[in-house]
Amino acid sequence: AVHLHGDIIRAGCASAGNDHRLGAQEAPPAILSLYLGEGLGKHVENIIAGNSDLEGYEESKKTLSFGTRAVGDIQAAMEDRNRTAPFPWCGNRFELRAVGSEQHFGFAIAVVQAAFADSMQVLADRIEGGQNLQDAVREMLEAHIDAMFNGDGYSSEWQDEVAPSRGLPNLRTTVDALEEFASPKNKEFLERTGVFRHHEVEARQSILLGKYIEVILLEANCFLDMANTGILPACAQDLATYSADPALAGDRAEIYDSLAKEVEKLSAVIDATPHDATDNVLARYCVDVVKPQMESLRVLVDSAERKVDKDIWPFPNYEDLVYAPQRQV
């Protein structure tokens, strides 16, 4: 299911906010793979090699000690939950960890269940055609073992070399994923499983792309307003304090000037938004043009934040966000 339909499962987890999360911040990468762990992974490999029956895997337990008498030892699953995996085996279940906190899980579960049902239909057809269960399962596992990965999903080797060599797509952005969502393959798959008809796939794609466009343009305009009405005035005020001795200003003038230029670029990018274009074209403009300009501006804002007098800076800085709550306590 994951090997054949990883692209549509990724689309089920796609959102503007989740693009910041997947591949970073204690979240799995955008490559859909299965983490089976040492125990189940070895059992699957033995089945493929013909060295094991389908039955025989038992969930193992380990004792976790906290090193203190105040907390007793506990029994935990032997398998690591591997926080770099989008679909890890957690001892008694698979856990889809790629869904973002802002999202309703219904859509993601719908496409996962459709992918699972489709694969079970293939297995059922083989058995009804006369193949025994052991051979049918073994052949399916062997054909799709490339979807199993027990290593570090954050590693560049996995993302840039191993996964592409296995044919696993790395749909890094929501736009990439939603473009695949409405592919001919996925339209046929969703209609075959009775989940969506072709026009319903296109409608859902349009709605999700529209939401993505709204979020990105809202964030871009908000960022532009913050820069023009708060950050640039603060930079000007800070620079003016060094008018009596410009040498003390260091590279402030250069940083603030570069920041102002990037603000103008963001404004121009927003003004050039092709609002009359199709959802696909407009979403691609947002991800390929608007977001990169926002990121370029953000780099200079971070540099300016470390230069401007903290009493002048108009927004909570990183130090405030991290330490202010502790100071209040």
Side-chain angles (χ1 to χ4, degrees):
V2 172
H3 191 208
L4 295 178
H5 303 299
D7 57 346
I8 199 169
I9 296 174
R10 166 68 178 95
C13 307
S15 73
N18 213 19
D19 283 355
H20 294 290
R21 171 178 169 266
L22 293 179
Q25 310 303 328
E26 288 295 313
I31 305 168
L32 266 293
S33 64
L34 289 173
Y35 170 82
L36 300 185
E38 183 177 349
L40 183 57
K42 187 66 175 178
H43 183 61
V44 168
E45 291 172 352
N46 285 334
I47 292 173
I48 293 173
N51 298 328
S52 176
D53 295 331
L54 298 183
E55 299 83 2
Y57 172 75
E58 295 182 2
E59 181 185 359
S60 302
K61 295 287 186 179
K62 61 183 177 183
T63 301
L64 287 181
S65 175
F66 294 91
T68 174
R69 289 177 296 177
V71 180
D73 296 345
I74 62 172
Q75 294 296 306
M78 182 65 70
E79 304 294 1
D80 176 25
R81 290 179 64 245
N82 192 340
R83 302 192 69 83
T84 74
F87 231 141
W89 173 251
C90 300
N92 61 354
R93 70 193 185 282
F94 280 104
E95 182 180 284
L96 180 59
R97 297 191 57 253
V99 181
S101 61
E102 69 163 340
Q103 297 173 277
H104 192 285
F105 60 82
F107 179 42
I109 291 299
V111 294
V112 168
Q113 297 286 39
F116 181 73
D118 190 57
S119 296
M120 289 301 97
Q121 185 62 59
V122 173
L123 179 61
D125 290 343
R126 291 188 178 191
I127 295 171
E128 291 172 359
Q131 191 173 21
N132 68 62
L133 177 62
Q134 177 87 15
D135 290 342
V137 171
R138 179 181 58 78
E139 289 179 6
M140 286 187 69
L141 290 174
E142 185 175 15
H144 303 294
I145 192 65
D146 281 346
M148 185 182 85
F149 179 66
N150 285 342
D152 180 5
Y154 289 162
S155 68
S156 58
E157 180 184 7
W158 165 243
Q159 298 186 36
D160 300 334
E161 299 176 24
V162 180
S165 71
R166 297 184 182 186
L168 301 179
N170 187 3
L171 304 174
R172 297 180 183 273
T173 72
T174 290
V175 179
D176 294 335
L178 292 179
E179 286 175 346
E180 290 299 316
F181 173 67
S183 68
K185 175 196 73 101
N186 286 332
K187 285 182 179 179
E188 193 278 329
F189 154 65
L190 290 171
E191 184 153 9
R192 182 175 69 246
T193 52
V195 178
F196 292 126
R197 292 187 289 272
H198 285 197
H199 71 276
E200 292 173 326
V201 174
E202 293 170 355
R204 183 168 287 264
Q205 182 198 47
S206 178
I207 291 169
L208 293 172
L209 285 173
K211 180 180 179 182
Y212 178 86
I213 293 164
E214 288 183 0
V215 169
I216 296 301
L217 292 181
L218 177 65
E219 291 179 351
N221 279 283
C222 180
F223 194 7
L224 183 62
D225 289 344
M226 292 172 67
N228 279 324
T229 63
I231 296 170
L232 288 179
C235 291
Q237 183 179 347
D238 179 71
L239 189 61
T241 63
Y242 296 91
S243 57
D245 193 348
L248 292 178
D251 59 355
R252 282 175 170 78
E254 179 182 346
I255 292 175
Y256 300 166
D257 182 61
S258 297
L259 193 155
K261 292 177 181 177
E262 292 300 318
V263 170
E264 289 301 316
K265 289 180 183 178
L266 178 60
S267 179
V269 162
I270 294 173
D271 290 343
T273 301
H275 291 287
D276 295 333
T278 64
D279 290 334
N280 296 71
V281 171
L282 185 50
R284 180 53 63 185
Y285 181 83
C286 287
V287 73
D288 289 343
V289 180
V290 179
K291 275 194 69 177
Q293 183 54 41
M294 292 171 67
E295 291 165 0
S296 297
L297 177 56
R298 183 259 171 91
V299 171
L300 286 167
V301 169
D302 285 350
S303 298
E305 182 180 307
R306 302 191 68 177
K307 297 289 185 178
V308 176
D309 186 328
K310 64 180 181 179
D311 294 328
I312 299 175
W313 190 255
F315 307 110
N317 57 29
Y318 287 124
E319 182 180 353
D320 294 331
L321 293 173
V322 174
Y323 297 111
Q326 286 84 344
R327 295 195 188 104
Q328 292 173 0
V329 173

